[in-house]
Amino acid sequence: MTTTCPCGSGRPYDDCCEPLINGSRPATTAEELMRSRYSAYTKAEIAYILNTTHPNHRGDFDEKGSREWAENSVWEGLEIRNTWGGSAEESEGKVEFIATYRDKGVRRTHHELAEFKKEGGSWYFVDGVGIKPEPLKSDKVGRNEPCPCGSGQKYKKCCGK
C-alpha cells in the first residue's frame, strides 16, 4: 500500500521524502530539504534531522527534546508559504513554512522562516526564526475567549498571561 508523503507534496512517500531520509539521494533544493525534515519529524527520524543540520549548528541540537516532540505530536500538515533562493544552482536559500500539529490534543502551529546553505553538494538547515501570528482584527479579546494565536486555549491561559 502506497502512502502519501507527509510533506504535502501529494506524491507517494517512497518516491518523495523517504529516499532523502534513508540516504538514497540528497535533497536538490532548500525546499526539498525542508519538506524532508518535516517528514522526518512525523516519522521521528531524528538522526536525519541532526545530519541535515549544518555542522556548525549541531552543538545546539537537542536530540532528546526533538525526539520527544516528534514522538508525542500528531502531525497534521506542512504549508510552504514562500521560498527565496535555494534552487539546485544556488548555495543559500530561505523557506517560510507553517507546520501544524497536535500536542496533548491541542492544535498548534509552528511558523518559521528557515535558512539553508549548500556545502559540498549537500543542503543543510542553518537556523530558523519563529514568526508570530498576526493578531486578529479586534479591539479587545475577552479573557475567556479563544486565544487569537490559534492554540485552542482561552486567552487568559495563553497570550493574555
Side-chain angles (χ1 to χ4, degrees):
M1 180 175 131
T2 304
T3 59
T4 304
C5 193
C7 80
S9 68
R11 296 172 38 206
Y13 175 66
D14 61 1
D15 187 45
C16 190
C17 290
E18 185 178 43
L20 282 72
I21 294 169
N22 71 21
S24 298
R25 72 172 186 85
T28 57
T29 67
E31 181 179 331
E32 188 176 43
L33 181 64
M34 178 61 244
R35 288 182 177 280
S36 68
R37 286 173 58 90
Y38 173 82
S39 291
Y41 273 109
T42 71
K43 307 281 185 184
E45 296 282 355
I46 304 308
Y48 180 76
I49 301 296
L50 177 61
N51 291 336
T52 57
T53 299
H54 192 279
N56 293 346
H57 297 271
R58 290 180 187 168
D60 297 336
F61 185 75
D62 178 4
E63 186 172 353
K64 182 181 178 203
S66 295
R67 182 172 305 286
E68 287 175 6
W69 184 40
E71 291 176 347
N72 294 318
S73 296
V74 176
W75 299 93
E76 296 183 337
L78 175 68
E79 176 191 350
I80 302 296
R81 298 297 287 290
N82 210 341
T83 60
W84 298 268
S87 72
E89 297 78 31
E90 296 173 290
S91 60
E92 294 185 359
K94 292 184 179 184
V95 179
E96 179 186 356
F97 69 93
I98 299 175
T100 308
Y101 63 99
R102 290 195 180 271
D103 178 21
K104 298 177 184 159
V106 177
R107 187 169 195 258
R108 304 207 183 268
T109 57
H110 179 83
H111 190 174
E112 182 177 305
L113 178 59
E115 180 182 342
F116 298 87
K117 285 189 181 181
K118 184 165 63 172
E119 292 182 1
S122 296
W123 280 102
Y124 295 98
F125 168 77
V126 176
D127 199 7
V129 176
I131 299 173
K132 292 190 177 230
E134 291 183 23
L136 294 177
K137 307 279 190 250
S138 67
D139 292 336
K140 186 176 178 183
V141 178
R143 291 178 37 78
N144 289 314
E145 291 180 32
C147 190
C149 78
S151 69
Q153 296 180 341
K154 289 183 179 181
Y155 180 70
K156 67 183 179 185
K157 295 278 188 178
C158 191
C159 295
K161 289 182 180 181

